[in-house]
Amino acid sequence: MPSMPSAAARTGPVVARALQVLGAFTPDRRSLTLSDLARHSGLPVSTVHRLVAELVAWGALERGPAGCYHIGLRLWEIGSLAPRGLGLREAALPYLEDLSQVTRENVQLAVREGAEVVFVERIAGSGAVPVLTRVGGRFALTATGVGLVLLAHAPADVQEQVLARPVERYTERTLTTARQIRAALADTRARGYAVSDRQVTMDALSVAAPIHDLDGQVVAAVSLVVHHGSASTQALAHLVRTSARAISRALPPRH
């Protein structure tokens, strides 16, 4: 008589398929039907139907009045407990709010996840320049101010991995060659802050500074994003570096 599969063998594929369903949602696909979920996850409709029922029961998904599904609050609650984002955000938020009140500009807090930037917090200033970023969103390390800071202080193998890939061009001023990006990273390390001048949109200037943990390692970056030409780079750099130092001092020790 064949032996029963182990608990890991029974559970693993189910978990993987559930993650495929959740992975079907993106910033551009926030509300999906069952057939949409099947198409974007690559799973049969019958499988998706069963998994969705379980995900709804647990609270990872919610069903709207029109019958479409979207990410549920339970998943957001669990995600908000991620220690790298939670402790950092709580320590940084008072200083981000002060920076926002002083400047009335966009203030952003980000960390590196692999070869991408993940935005942990963003405060939009009144009348501030529109930005393409959102909390929880990812972006290229090479284009934004926070990305350049994080890449400049990333391990050498991460830098080489990023520089070996094709770089997306957002505007005519986006740095796209390895030589250009290496120069920008060297400048960032030398002066203690990064500048992204119209690299993402032609009306925005971003200046960012590194946040250090108690061991002196760069764990995050804070930036101001303003209308190009509205403020000097030096003035913005002074503000973000002051905020970055204050956040660095406020960070709790790592466990």
Side-chain angles (χ1 to χ4, degrees):
M1 181 175 178
S3 61
M4 293 292 291
S6 67
R10 294 196 306 270
T11 304
V14 174
V15 172
R17 290 195 293 269
L19 293 175
Q20 282 180 259
V21 171
L22 294 175
F25 293 91
T26 70
D28 298 322
R29 300 196 301 261
R30 296 171 183 254
S31 184
L32 298 172
T33 64
L34 273 177
S35 59
D36 291 334
L37 285 167
R39 183 170 69 256
H40 292 298
S41 68
L43 297 171
V45 173
S46 58
T47 300
V48 171
H49 186 273
R50 183 178 68 255
L51 290 171
V52 163
E54 295 179 11
L55 290 168
V56 168
W58 187 78
L61 294 180
E62 295 176 359
R63 190 172 187 267
C68 291
Y69 295 89
H70 54 266
I71 295 295
L73 282 177
R74 182 77 183 278
L75 198 61
W76 178 83
E77 289 177 279
I78 296 297
S80 70
L81 299 177
R84 196 151 62 109
L86 181 63
L88 171 64
R89 182 184 176 278
E90 288 181 345
L93 195 54
Y95 304 100
L96 301 180
E97 290 173 341
D98 286 347
L99 189 56
S100 174
Q101 289 175 4
V102 167
T103 63
R104 303 296 180 187
E105 301 287 0
N106 293 304
V107 178
Q108 300 184 138
L109 177 69
V111 298
R112 181 179 63 83
E113 179 72 14
E116 294 178 304
V117 169
V118 178
F119 289 90
V120 176
E121 184 58 88
R122 182 173 75 84
I123 302 175
S126 55
V129 63
V131 295
L132 302 181
T133 57
R134 62 179 181 85
V135 174
R138 294 172 178 261
F139 216 85
L141 283 167
T142 53
T144 63
V146 288
L148 289 170
V149 164
L150 295 168
L151 184 58
H153 296 280
D157 61 326
V158 173
Q159 294 183 12
E160 294 308 315
Q161 176 189 352
V162 171
L163 292 171
R165 296 176 176 176
V167 176
E168 182 174 353
R169 181 183 292 277
Y170 298 96
T171 74
E172 62 189 39
R173 294 183 62 88
T174 303
L175 306 181
T176 57
T177 69
R179 181 184 59 80
Q180 291 174 322
I181 296 168
R182 287 186 196 278
L185 299 181
D187 287 344
T188 296
R189 289 188 292 267
R191 63 192 173 197
Y193 63 90
V195 178
S196 172
D197 184 6
R198 293 166 287 174
Q199 281 211 68
V200 179
T201 62
M202 287 301 291
D203 55 354
L205 169 71
S206 173
V207 179
I211 296 169
H212 300 82
D213 65 10
L214 295 178
D215 297 322
Q217 299 297 311
V218 173
V219 294
V222 59
S223 71
L224 278 169
V225 185
V226 307
H227 285 277
H228 172 73
S230 65
S232 74
T233 300
Q234 290 74 19
L236 297 173
H238 173 72
L239 290 169
V240 295
R241 294 185 74 189
T242 299
S243 294
R245 286 192 291 267
I247 296 169
S248 298
R249 290 193 294 267
L251 284 184
R254 286 200 241 180
H255 296 292

